[in-house]
Amino acid sequence: MTGPRRAEAGTGAGQVGIVLVSHSAAVAESVAELARGLAAGGPVVPVAAAGGTPDGGLGTSAERIAAAAREVDRGAGVALLVDLGSAVLTVRALLEDDELPSGSRLVDAPFVEGAVAAVVAASAGAPLAEVESAAAEAYGYRKS
């Protein structure tokens, strides 16, 4: 066998989960919906939105992020994409404190384009390293 093992698409087991962390619950949910929709055509990996604060305000919540990561964890790793600032710091702190499922990784990628690329790659059965790479490649998408 060569290269990383691919998960069986659509089973959920052994697939990379995706968590989208935003300061806004509406933004996180909308990007999750967009990514799921654009990845459709087959089974889509678990995607969770972790946006805003528990009281509905703008900000990030370590508890919401950790719960979202546990929700999508299927044993093949969890890719966390974040929008900006304290979302990055919160995910880093969770990783350092070992409060996320094993194999969780902060992915350095543009939030919207990276989320779509990550969900598409993960839904095709790509392992975490390929999901991360696909999301990061979104930095190269030119619009003009």
Side-chain angles (χ1 to χ4, degrees):
M1 181 161 114
T2 60
R5 189 172 158 203
R6 291 191 169 270
E8 185 175 331
T11 65
Q15 290 184 317
V16 174
I18 309 292
V19 175
L20 304 175
V21 181
S22 172
H23 283 67
S24 163
V27 169
E29 289 290 343
S30 295
V31 173
E33 180 182 346
L34 175 68
R36 284 187 207 105
L38 293 176
V44 177
V45 292
V47 180
T53 60
D55 64 358
L58 296 176
T60 57
S61 162
E63 293 79 18
R64 292 176 76 122
I65 296 166
R70 287 191 298 272
E71 176 187 326
V72 302
D73 180 28
R74 300 295 186 273
V78 176
L80 295 103
L81 289 92
V82 301
D83 60 357
L84 50 93
S86 64
V88 175
L89 299 175
T90 303
V91 171
R92 284 184 182 162
L94 288 166
L95 287 166
E96 288 173 8
D97 294 341
D98 206 23
E99 295 186 36
L100 296 174
S102 177
S104 293
R105 191 174 299 175
L106 173 61
V107 175
D108 183 15
F111 192 59
V112 176
E113 293 92 338
V116 172
V119 172
V120 168
S123 295
L128 182 58
E130 288 182 25
V131 170
E132 181 177 25
S133 178
E137 285 177 18
Y139 275 128
Y141 300 168
R142 307 307 319 162
K143 296 177 180 158
S144 64

